[in-house]
Every structure is written in structure tokens, then in C-alpha cells.
Amino acid sequence: MFPILTVLVVLPVVGAGVLFLPQARAKSREIALFFALAELIIAANLFLRFDRSQAGTIQFAETHSWIPQIGTSWALGVNGIGLSLVVLSAILVPVAILSAWRDDKDEKRRATYLALLLSSQAFMIGIFAARDVFLFYVLFEAMLIPIYFLIGYFGGLQRRYAAVKFLIFSLVGGLVMLVGVIALYVAGPGGEQGFLTDKLTGLSLSTSTERLLFLAFFIAFAIKAPMFPVHTWLPTVAESARPSTTALLVAVLDKVGTFGMLTLCLVLFPGAAHWAAPVIIVFAVISVLYGAILAIGQDNMLKLVSFTSVSHFGIMIIGIFAFAQTSVTGAALYMFNHGLSTGALFFAVAYLAKRHGTVSIKAFGGLQKIAPVLAGTFLIIGLSSLSLPGLSPFISEILVFIGAYPVVPVAIWFAVVGVVLAALYILLMYKRVFTGPAPEAMEGTRDLSVRERLVTWPLIAAMLVLGFVPGILLGVLHEPVHDIVTIVQEAGK
Amino acid sequence: MNWTQPDITWAPLVPILVVLLAGAVGILVEAFIRTPATRRLVQLSLTLAALVVGLGAAIVLWATQEGSGTVVLRLMLVVDRQSLAWQVLLAVFGILAALLFAARTRTGEEEFTPLGSSTPGALDETRALRAGLQVTEVFPLLLFAVGGMMLFTAVTDFVFLFVVLELFSLPLYILVALARRRRALSHEAALKYFLLGAFSSAIYIFGVALLFGATTQTSFTAVQRAIEIIAGHDPLIIAAAVLILVGLFFKLGAVPFHSWVPDVYQGAPTAVTGFMAAATKAAAVAALLRVVFASFYPLEWELNWLFWTIAIVTMILATLVALVQTDIKRMLAYSSIAHAGFILVAFAGFSPDALSSLPFYMLAYGLATFGAFAVVTQVRERTADGAVGAEAVRLGQWAGLGKRAPWLATAMALFLLSFAGIPLTAGFVGKFVVFRSAIEQGAWPLVLVAVLASAAAAFFYVRLIVLMFFTDVPEGQADAIEIEYSPLTRAVVVVTAVLTLVLGIVPGPALAAAEDAGVMLSTLSSGS
């Protein structure tokens, strides 16, 4: 069978390799875009060929022996959840490349940036497709290297500090997970393919072992997700890194956290998930409110958007740990939709930053008369972020709330407050930046260029389509979620 | 007493004998070839040839090894896959070291002083330089050290182990003293190393004396049998075992027996530092493995706490102190101490897995170490008159290296990532197998400490990467640093970097070989 997932992982690496050649520098953007679009086409093909009637089973599976001595294999395959996230990363990388089109004057720096973007894409697709816990871990950790350089090499004044903060947080989480990974293998059947997730599912572990293992994995994912109180690296990064980097980081890479909770924490340690759920939901509710309140108080728009993400990730985590079919489906759908809307929001803020060299809300005003298309685009994206009906994030939030309400009603009361606050921070930002009289500095602000429209409008189109026809994705998410929920609920009995 | 001629099987000793004999021949070369240039060439070829032959012989022996191994010299020596694996490793390290020893700067300057006895800048040194003198005796010294270490891995008798320990230590004492630049530091380092080495030998031999007193034996297996009979409760045996282990911990550089490491690593010529950090540590690990698994195994309950304590203290202390280092060689020295702690994690619970995980770990660690120190020799200060000066070892001097020498800096970053245990490098696989054997023994608290220490250690590795890639060359400093280009050193950097990557991505074959090495003759023989 054609190893389509391996191709999806390897192709960006090849692209990155090509970009490192000195001859490729002059045309680096075109080459990078070519590889990213090729990736998108293959991913679209993957999506079309995916058998939706069997969305819960692993498809396009490949298993090759990798390091038999330590029980790991190069095992890829996706069910509906993995598929949706593979597609998400394939969509956002070309968009990010387009968005960063004019960021670098220096050809060599530009080629390096694009090569790093492509290599991080390889890692994220690998993670979403991994069926082997060791492979998952290796990609999870190795991904830090390109992102570390993306943050530390390109961006604002504080970029080095931000890169180190990101690295230390992720590394501590990752290494704690390593202990869990090894212990899981030791507790499992072992042998040459002892790391395959299917072999590790349904292990009978002692209660304390299961809980410790759960924690080892969960802490790593919570840092990645980012969840209160281990989210503090994200605002620092958002403030200092390039918007296109942060967009990719928040829109796709952080989904590794929620993806891991959903497909590893719940499936491998369902009993412990029940045990930990009350505390996790409390922290998730705090994330929702805390992120939203801090977002309201922010003047730096990039930080503001990153705090909104802390809030939205809280909603996903509530959905996941409510263990109800509807809420978990909503969370899985939200992972995709949040990628679209927050990615687009970061890009939109980046346009403002490029025009005026600042992301401070105070510096702006009255832009909607000067640059109406920009203002309209910004507004639609903002509305999607506050979950306006008709735009895709709405459906996902509603599913989470409806599904989780019977299980954790109090948490949902509080979480809904978060949604109200979302209207506040988005609309206040819009009001201050785009309405009212324009300061002198805003005179002559360019409206959206063709390239910028190409970046944003497809994302808006996708949000609209999924807002009205969510079935496209719900169809592939329902079954895998059902399987996960069944496992967890069995364990809860 | 009647003299009976010992019955010696020579064949299994070929790798060791070749190396040691070549060392002896090297002494003759030193005496009889007078032209410095020819002598250097002959010495280098002889050294490389001997090490390659030794390596080949060890591999052949490995492949043809039948059963569990061969006893040579009446239980004094054992040649089994375990010792052969270490011999292969040491021969490889020897080759890398020989290349680094022979490397010269653009201006023809070597790592070593032309005249060991001269004081820096004195008239006789200038004369020696002008006469084109060279210390080519470093090559035979290297051969003796490598040969001694190879022998060290096969010894199964406590007294013989002592003799061999001295055999490979003495050449090192001399090599440490021969740095061309920063002579005072080098002399001081040699003196410290010698004195503390002598102390550790004394402690070791005191332990052996106690052991002999308690068991009337010095051979590993005989001691093991004796311990089993006494059931390990004799305090004299425990004391003896602790003292013997302390002697070996000294060589390994574990806290609190580490104090010589930073000074010696900093003072020694960098090529020698690389060799010591990789090879001496590997030999110490090999001996420690054999002592533990072929002799002290029945003392598991009595000694496990010692390994736990020392591992934890070593990892924490070395990592914390490394965080504040400003000298690259000292930072790498503390990093190597921290690695001694990780190595000791493998001993937790005396799991026989250590026999297969540690050879791989030391291979990964040794390659990165050689590579890192090789890179250090390439970054030089420029003197006022524009000539190439000493190595630039202050951290700040490495700022912006990524722009000036991107490949060199990338290689260095790779070695640092391997030290830190980031996936897709050999260092990660090494840590993984070590941690796995510890977790299998239920020593997960130890692994948790190791993991947190790794995270903290990543901070100072990353700091150097940040300096190299994200920091611009400070104003007016652009001319202060010279990137040296020595083909031999670059060869070492390339080989170690490629192997670090390859062993990180496809470690399968090497791990399989290490697994084969995991059986040790007379391991747990009477225990099982």
C-alpha cells in the first residue's frame, strides 16, 4: 500500500533540506510554498480517501520495525481525530508561509525561517499520525528544536528569553512524560512492538501506577495545551515571536496537548482520568476565566490573542474531561475550528503590526474608514473567536456546553461567563482599533493586499462552511470519539 | 615453591597486545629516528595502524566468540563479549584521539609543548620551537593509555586491576602536563591529577587489602563465592567493597570524588581532555560493571544505597555547579560529572541490563564528548599581532559563532543536544536505555531526579546554543576570535557528528551489538 502518511511526514523535511541549499535561497518562498501546497494536496487527498463510515478505525496504517531492541516502531495511521488535525496543519502551513512573505529582507534568513516552518510541520503531522507512544514522544520532543529556533532567531527584542522559557517549560514537561513513556512500556506487554498504542490500550495497571502514569503524561500535555497555571510561556512567546510563528504554534502545535489528552491520557489511563477529572475541570474553568479576564486587560494585541487561547483551550479541556459523547466531540471539533479562527486572528493582528510597527491597541484608532476591507476581515475573524453563530467555533462551543452540562453543570455556568467575556475583549479591541476618529499616524494605512486576502479569506471561507455544514467534520469525529468515550465510561463504572 | 610456567592463551589478547607492543615500538622510534618531521609521521602512522589493527582484531574476536567467553591467565583475565565491546569502543576512541593529537593549527602549532620541561616563554622553549622540536612521544603514551584501558576491561582480579589502573593512569598524568598554551594551568592540572589519582589508588588498594583479609582471595569469582558463603554480613567485606568502589568512582568522576575533574579538564591540552572524558570514563565504567556483576553481586542489598546516594548527589550537584560556569572546558567538565551520575543510575538495583545499556550510553556520550572538545580546539583567540592564540574558552567569546562558522556551530549544537538527551540524537537513546533498566528495577524516583537534572542541564547546554546562534558578535570583538581549520580535527568533528545523528535515528544495530555484549563470563554465575 502507498505510504501516504510517511510521505506527508517526509515531504516537508525534503522541502526544508532543499531550502538549506545556497542555490535555493533566491527562490526560497516559492519553493517553500510549492512544498506546502503539495503537502496540502496530498492531505486533501487523504481526507477524500478516508473511509468515513469507518472513522473510528485507524486508516492508512503503516508499521515498520524501527528500533526493535527498545520496542518501538515507525507506526503511523489516523482515525478521524488525527485526520482532522493532519488536515489542519496542512492548511495552516502554506497560509503561514504566505503571511510571512515579506518578513525578511535577507535571503538567507528567509530561507532558514521557511525551512524551520516546514520541518516543524513534519513533526506535527508525525505526532498526529503516530500510533506508537515512543514515536509520539520522540517527535513531541524533537519538535522543540525547530520551534525553539523559530522563536529565538526571528522575532522581537525579548525573543531569546521567550525561546528559553518555552524550551524549559516544554522540556520539563517532556522529560516527565519520558518517565511515563518508559514506565508504560515496562508495565505493558513489552517485546519488539511493545510501544504500539493498540497494545498498550486496556492494560490492567495498579491504581497508583495508573495515576502516576496519567500525571506524567498529563503534565506534559497541560504545558503544551496551554492550561492554567503552566501557560505562562505562551504570552511571553506571543509577545516576542513572529506572528506567523505564534499563529502556527497556537493554532496547530498546541493542539498536540489536547490531542494527547484525548487519545493517550483518556484511552491508556481511563480510570485515572476519572480520578483526576474533577481537579482538571476546576483548573480548566480557571483557565477559561483567567485567560478571558487577562485578555480584557491587555494592550498588546498578540498577548491578548494568546490569552484568549488560554481561555479557549480551557473550554476544550472541560469538553474532554466531561467524558460525554457530545462534549468530547465538541472539543475535538473545537481543536480544528480554534486552529482556523485563532490562526486567522494572529495573521490579522500581524497586518496591523506590519503597517504601523506596533501591536499596542492604544496606538490605533478609526481604521475602519481608512482600511475598510482590513476592518471587515478583522471583525469577521474576531466574531468567530467570540463564537458567533454561523461561524464554526460556535458549533464546537455549543456542543461542549450542551454535552458537559449534565455532567458538570457548575463548571459550565462559569465557562459560559467566559464566552460573555470573549465578546467583551474582542469587541473592545475592535472598537479601540477600528472605530472612532483616526489618529494622524493612521492616515494612509494600506488596505489588505491581494496576498493578505489570499491568506485570510480561505480561512474565513472554511469557518463559514464549517459553521453551516459542520457535518463534514463531525462525520469523521463522531466514531473515534465514541470509542474513546466508551473506554472511559467503562472504566468509570 | 616450584615454578610452573603459566599457560597463556594468546589469541584472545591480540587487540590489547597489538596496541601495547606498538607503544613499545613507538619508544624505539622516539630513540632512533632523529628527524622530527619523519618521526612524527612514523609515530602517527604506527599509532593509527596499531589502533586500527586492534579494532579489527577485537571485532573479529567478537564475531567468532563462542560461548560465554575465554578465561585467560588463570582467572586474571577474561575475554568475553562484554570486554570485547569495550575494547572496540576504546580503540575507536583511541583513533579519534590520535587524530586530535596530531592536529595542527594553520601556523603549524600543535596542542603539545615542544619541550615538556621548559617554562612558558623561556629561552629554551623559544630555541626548541626554532629547532622544530616536537613531542612525538605523546603517541606512544596514548597507545599505552589505550592499551591499558583495553586490558582494564578484561581484568578479573583485584590486584591485577590495580596494576592496570596504574598502567593507563601514568601516561595520562604526563599527557595532561604537556599543553602548549597556558602551561602553568596544565602543570597544576597534572599535579592535581597525579596526587588525587594516587589517593584514589591508595584507597582502592586499601579496600583490596581488607577484602583479602576477609576472604583470602583476590580473584573476582573467588571473592564472589566467598561473599556468598559469608552471606555478605561481614562488615569487613562491606567496608572493603565500599573502598574499592570509591577508588573506581574517583576515575569515573562521581561526586564527592569529582574535585579533580574540572581543574584537570580545564588544564589539560584539549585533545587530551576529550580523550580522558570519553575513554577514561568508559574504562572506569567497564571495570565498575565487572566488579559489580562478577564479584560484588551478592552484596546488592548492602551496596545499592551507595549507588543511589552517589547518583543523586552527583546529578544534582554537578548540574547546579555547571549552571554558573563561564569557561567552556569547565562547563563540559561539570557536564561530564553529571553524566557520571546518569551512568550510576544504570546500576540501580544491580540490573544486568546495565551490561548492555552502558556500552551504548558510553558510545553516545564519548562521541559527543570528542566532538565537542574537537570543536573547542577550533575556536581560537587572535593575539595582538594577528597570530592565532590560545583557545577561546570564555563563554562570551563564542557569541555569534553560528554566523561566522555555521557548520562548526551546528555540529557543536548537535553535541550539546546529544548531551542534553534530546530525541533523534544518540544521547537520547543512551539515556532511554539507561532509564529503562532503572525503571524496570523500580528505581523510578532515581529516574525522576535524573530527568529533572536533565531539564536543568538543558539550560546550560542551551545557553551556549543561544550564544552561538542568537547573539551577535559583540562590537569590536569581530577580530578577536579566529576560526581555526585543521583537516584532522574537522574529520573528527564530522565523523562524531554523523555518528551522533545516525545512532540517534537508527540505533538498532548498535543496540543489538550492545545486547550481545550484555552477557558477561561468570556474571551471576553462582548466583543463578
Side-chain angles (χ1 to χ4, degrees), chain A residues 153-429:
Chain A
Y153 211 38
F154 306 91
L157 290 175
Q158 290 273 301
R159 60 179 193 271
R160 261 179 278 151
Y161 168 71
V164 170
K165 193 169 176 186
F166 163 79
L167 192 76
I168 298 296
F169 267 84
S170 307
L171 210 56
V172 170
L175 285 170
V176 171
M177 182 171 140
L178 175 62
V179 182
V181 168
I182 302 174
L184 184 63
Y185 174 81
V186 172
E192 289 210 349
Q193 298 191 330
F195 269 118
L196 284 187
T197 32
D198 359 335
K199 289 204 182 167
L200 294 171
T201 312
L203 287 181
S204 51
L205 302 165
S206 75
T207 314
S208 58
T209 315
E210 190 187 351
R211 289 176 181 178
L212 285 172
L213 286 176
F214 174 86
L215 282 181
F217 279 84
F218 184 80
I219 290 170
F221 295 144
I223 290 173
K224 198 108 235 166
M227 183 179 177
F228 176 87
V230 283
H231 67 284
T232 60
W233 61 269
L234 179 64
T236 315
V237 168
E239 184 180 28
S240 318
R242 246 182 213 182
S244 43
T245 309
T246 319
L248 205 62
L249 192 65
V250 176
V252 190
L253 290 172
D254 287 354
K255 301 296 184 302
V256 171
T258 42
F259 177 74
M261 291 178 196
L262 196 55
T263 55
L264 292 180
C265 282
L266 295 199
V267 175
L268 299 181
F269 321 110
H274 268 281
W275 161 75
V279 182
I280 291 173
I281 288 196
V282 169
F283 275 107
V285 170
I286 296 176
S287 291
V288 174
L289 296 176
Y290 172 88
I293 291 169
L294 281 178
I296 293 174
Q298 272 309 315
D299 182 52
N300 180 319
M301 282 186 265
L302 290 172
K303 273 181 109 167
L304 190 155
V305 179
S306 76
F307 277 120
T308 71
S309 295
V310 174
S311 179
H312 293 153
F313 271 104
I315 295 179
M316 289 176 223
I317 293 168
I318 294 175
I320 292 172
F321 281 89
F323 308 136
Q325 170 74 34
T326 317
S327 73
V328 181
T329 315
L333 185 66
Y334 203 3
M335 281 155 67
F336 188 91
N337 290 330
H338 176 262
L340 295 180
S341 73
T342 301
L345 199 53
F346 271 112
F347 294 133
V349 174
Y351 303 149
L352 295 174
K354 261 174 234 164
R355 282 165 174 73
H356 294 289
T358 173
V359 284
S360 164
I361 294 179
K362 284 196 204 94
F364 291 91
L367 270 182
Q368 73 185 4
K369 291 192 195 75
I370 307 166
V373 183
L374 174 60
T377 308
F378 198 99
L379 185 62
I380 299 179
I381 296 170
L383 291 176
S384 83
S385 185
L386 63 80
S387 297
L388 188 81
L391 288 160
S392 56
F394 168 73
I395 314 271
S396 355
E397 277 189 13
I398 281 294
L399 285 175
V400 170
F401 292 148
I402 293 175
Y405 187 78
V407 189
V408 279
V410 184
I412 299 303
W413 296 342
F414 281 108
V416 171
V417 177
V419 179
V420 178
L421 293 176
L424 211 57
Y425 56 71
I426 292 290
L427 294 176
L428 277 179
M429 171 163 68

Side-chain angles (χ1 to χ4, degrees), chain B residues 468-493:
Chain B
M468 290 191 298
F469 287 99
F470 302 159
T471 314
D472 291 323
V473 185
E475 285 292 317
Q477 287 261 308
D479 295 332
I481 300 297
E482 181 79 45
I483 306 298
E484 191 45 66
Y485 185 90
S486 152
L488 289 176
T489 310
R490 289 298 161 100
V492 171
V493 173

